[in-house]
């Protein structure tokens, strides 16, 4: 299935773009993250990154369907 991936902040900078499409063989956010890591090996996706499917925050075990948008959201700092 094809899934669009939105990257924010430093993840977008590392990838050199804020959006990409990946083909996923599994059906979870974790599978999407694996596909993104293969497509953009410069990305540093660690445990602090949060996820959303379409507009809902979720865990890496959440289901993903063809055409969904998965967002990878790094922590935000500042004051």
């Amino acid at each position: 299935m094809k899934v669009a991936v939105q990257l924010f902040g430093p993840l977008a900078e590392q990838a050199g773009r804020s959006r990409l499409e990946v083909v996923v063989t599994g059906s979870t956010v974790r599978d999407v993250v694996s596909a993104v890591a293969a497509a953009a090996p410069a990305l540093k996706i660690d445990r602090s990154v949060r996820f959303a499917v379409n507009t809902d925050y979720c865990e890496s075990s959440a289901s993903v369907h063809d055409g969904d948008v998965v967002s990878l959201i790094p922590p935000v700092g500042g004051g």
Side-chain angles (χ1 to χ4, degrees):
M1 78 177 131
K2 273 191 180 178
V3 176
V5 179
Q6 283 288 133
L7 304 171
F8 295 93
L11 295 176
E13 291 172 12
Q14 292 165 17
R17 54 191 166 168
S18 62
R19 187 175 177 100
L20 57 111
E21 284 195 8
V22 293
V23 175
V24 182
T25 56
S27 61
T28 66
V29 170
R30 185 177 302 111
D31 297 322
V32 173
V33 171
S34 294
V36 168
L43 284 179
K44 296 176 182 138
I45 304 170
D46 61 23
R47 294 178 0 155
S48 67
V49 173
R50 297 293 171 239
F51 312 106
V53 175
N54 299 317
T55 59
D56 299 319
Y57 284 97
C58 64
E59 298 296 323
S60 62
S61 59
S63 294
V64 178
H65 304 284
D66 190 49
D68 280 349
V69 177
V70 175
S71 299
L72 304 185
I73 308 162
V76 177

